[in-house]
Amino acid sequence: MPHSVDFNNVAIVLCQPQIPQNIGGVARAMANMGLSRLIVVDPKNLDMEKIYPMATMGARHLIESMEVVDDLQTALKEFNYVVGTTARMGSHRKAITLENMAVKLISLSKENKVALVFGREDRGLSTEDVRLCHQLVNIRTAGFSSLNLAQAVLIVCYEVFKATQDTPKENIPRLANRYDLDAMYEQLSDLLVRVNFINPENPEHWMDNVRRFFSRHPLTARDAKIVRGICRQVDWYTERRFSKSESEQD
Ligand code: SAH
């Protein structure tokens, strides 16, 4: 029997949507394709009189159960795999095609909670938002690349809905969630600043390379624990060495 994406483990996350009608349109697109978990981060306007008509009766339940969260990092805490969607590409915005992502989600969604993140209507996802994503996805267009938010959600959901595979090639274990990863990156950044591996003036810029490196092969919860253990040990060792050489000088 062909395998498909497990929609129970997939959520749509809207980052600071500006236009309430789009939230309704997104809910409708999700209901059309069988997705049900909608998370909205810091919306500019939650006027239900504008949201409900666009959602129509068919997606009303999605608006009723929609989660509203203050910031993206909090919204993503529990997710093991985060996919950002972007109309814009660049040297730091390497995106894969939606078709490839959809197939990848078949194995990923078996054991992992997946978030599909969409940006603001005017500015898309910021560099800080992109840092929280394991992978970026782009919907190919003929020229003008910026789709309406709800239409972009519809295309992404449709592609994910259609994706099937006879036998998934990879067996992807449960990955570290964003909460574990954020804690790991914070610890790693502290340590790398202290040992002068990264510039204390602009650690986030340097950490981007480290994040990219670690995101190439998403880490399991155990991997993240090992990296944190290494940081702790290096911390302990350097502190001991440092205080020893100080006391030798005394
Ligand atoms: N002007 C913005 C586009 C915002 S459109 C920009 O330049 O980034 C709102 C959101 O819809 C985007 O943040 C993205 O999540 C999604 N979107 C729009 N067009 C897309 C495309 N071609 N590929 C992938 N996502 C797209």
Side-chain angles (χ1 to χ4, degrees):
M1 207 179 74
H3 296 256
S4 46
V5 177
D6 184 348
F7 273 4
N8 292 319
N9 282 334
V10 180
I12 297 291
V13 180
L14 304 182
C15 187
Q16 294 187 323
Q18 315 284 300
I19 304 168
Q21 284 88 343
N22 277 340
I23 301 177
V26 165
R28 182 174 183 170
M30 290 172 63
N32 288 143
M33 296 303 144
L35 274 142
S36 56
R37 187 162 179 208
L38 174 60
I39 304 177
V40 179
V41 178
D42 188 26
K44 189 169 177 196
N45 181 340
L46 258 192
D47 183 347
M48 290 299 170
E49 286 189 9
K50 294 189 171 136
I51 294 178
Y52 276 124
M54 290 301 285
T56 70
M57 280 311 284
R60 201 181 165 88
H61 61 290
L62 257 105
I63 299 297
E64 281 160 2
S65 62
M66 152 178 100
E67 298 156 59
V68 181
V69 182
D70 285 343
D71 64 276
L72 187 60
Q73 196 168 7
T74 310
L76 296 177
K77 261 185 185 169
E78 67 182 278
F79 289 94
N80 309 96
Y81 197 76
V82 179
V83 180
T85 55
T86 181
R88 260 179 302 143
M89 312 255 259
S91 58
H92 287 307
R93 286 190 179 221
K94 294 225 165 29
I96 62 171
T97 63
L98 181 52
E99 294 84 344
N100 287 343
M101 172 50 67
V103 170
K104 211 171 156 175
L105 291 187
I106 297 173
S107 1
L108 263 165
S109 66
K110 282 194 192 319
E111 297 284 340
N112 294 290
K113 286 194 173 181
V114 177
L116 304 175
V117 184
F118 293 81
R120 304 153 189 83
E121 291 89 338
D122 52 348
R123 288 176 292 126
L125 292 174
S126 69
T127 307
E128 288 73 34
D129 303 330
V130 168
R131 277 191 190 122
L132 299 172
C133 301
H134 288 86
Q135 180 66 61
L136 288 177
V137 159
N138 173 255
I139 303 164
R140 271 176 298 137
T141 49
F144 177 38
S145 67
S146 174
L147 291 152
N148 163 269
L149 175 59
Q151 290 173 351
V153 171
L154 179 61
I155 293 177
V156 170
C157 293
Y158 178 56
E159 209 59 53
V160 175
F161 167 75
K162 275 194 315 176
T164 54
Q165 207 173 39
D166 284 337
T167 329
K169 284 196 200 85
E170 301 169 88
N171 189 9
I172 300 178
R174 181 175 277 270
L175 303 174
N177 61 27
R178 269 282 23 128
Y179 181 80
D180 296 332
L181 287 181
D182 290 340
M184 181 193 84
Y185 284 128
E186 204 178 307
Q187 199 170 349
L188 205 50
S189 167
D190 276 358
L191 178 70
L192 296 180
V193 165
R194 217 133 19 94
V195 299
N196 286 330
F197 182 77
I198 60 179
N199 185 343
E201 297 288 308
N202 192 1
E204 272 311 313
H205 170 73
W206 294 91
M207 279 305 288
D208 279 348
N209 296 318
V210 177
R211 282 172 196 273
R212 255 195 298 280
F213 168 78
F214 277 118
S215 295
R216 213 160 292 152
H217 261 292
L219 305 182
T220 61
R222 187 159 179 269
D223 296 335
K225 239 187 217 153
I226 292 174
V227 174
R228 296 190 71 182
I230 295 173
C231 291
R232 250 195 321 276
Q233 190 65 20
V234 174
D235 243 352
W236 175 80
Y237 185 77
T238 46
E239 239 156 59
R240 213 177 58 145
R241 285 285 294 227
F242 192 60
S243 52
K244 210 166 149 197
S245 53
E246 266 186 347
S247 61
E248 275 164 5
Q249 279 172 17
D250 287 342

